[in-house]
Amino acid sequence: QVQLVESGGGLVQPGGSLRLSCVASGKFFSINAMGWYRQAPGKERELVASISRGSSTNYADFVKDRFTISRDNAKNTVNLQMNALKPEDTAAYYCNAYIISEDRNSELRYWGQGTQVTVSS
């Protein structure tokens, strides 16, 4: 019943910026941790950044000084501001969220469909 939909991907030049957004929709009680993962062709999916409900953050070393994760609980949204992009950042980026069911009986992990980020001249 719950869906995560990402947007904001595209083609950018090295050194450029991009802002990804992910919106959760459907019936649920609340959202706990949210995060962004990425997967390049031939590689495993890896964590980029995560954020708790209280907005404490965690970043992978390769993006720590360049990317910023944030969330808007009122809008059920998590964002990823990506600056100083490098060709090696090219990947499909996936939104992830732990969502508490409407009746508070369970916590489920949801994934978005992904949005492609390509960094190239």
Side-chain angles (χ1 to χ4, degrees):
Q1 299 298 321
V2 178
Q3 291 190 74
L4 301 180
V5 180
E6 304 101 330
S7 63
L11 175 64
V12 296
Q13 299 180 58
S17 297
L18 204 60
R19 185 176 178 86
L20 306 183
S21 294
C22 171
V23 180
S25 63
K27 298 289 187 179
F28 51 86
F29 175 71
S30 64
I31 304 174
N32 284 334
M34 306 183 80
W36 288 94
Y37 287 72
R38 71 185 188 187
Q39 187 168 24
K43 298 183 67 177
E44 296 294 320
R45 187 173 297 187
E46 61 185 352
L47 175 69
V48 177
S50 63
I51 184 167
S52 72
R53 199 203 314 184
S55 296
S56 62
T57 58
N58 182 60
Y59 296 93
D61 288 342
F62 51 83
V63 302
K64 193 170 185 177
D65 296 323
R66 301 184 293 124
F67 294 5
T68 302
I69 189 170
S70 61
R71 65 189 290 166
D72 185 338
N73 291 332
K75 296 184 179 297
N76 300 318
T77 298
V78 62
N79 303 303
L80 185 69
Q81 179 65 47
M82 309 165 70
N83 299 324
L85 284 162
K86 305 174 181 179
E88 50 263 46
D89 293 319
T90 297
Y93 284 71
Y94 297 88
C95 176
N96 165 249
Y98 290 87
I99 297 179
I100 306 300
S101 62
E102 196 173 14
D103 61 9
R104 309 191 198 187
N105 282 341
S106 62
E107 181 186 67
L108 298 177
R109 193 181 196 187
Y110 290 87
W111 291 92
Q113 64 183 8
T115 184
Q116 179 67 35
V117 172
T118 301
V119 185
S120 176
S121 298

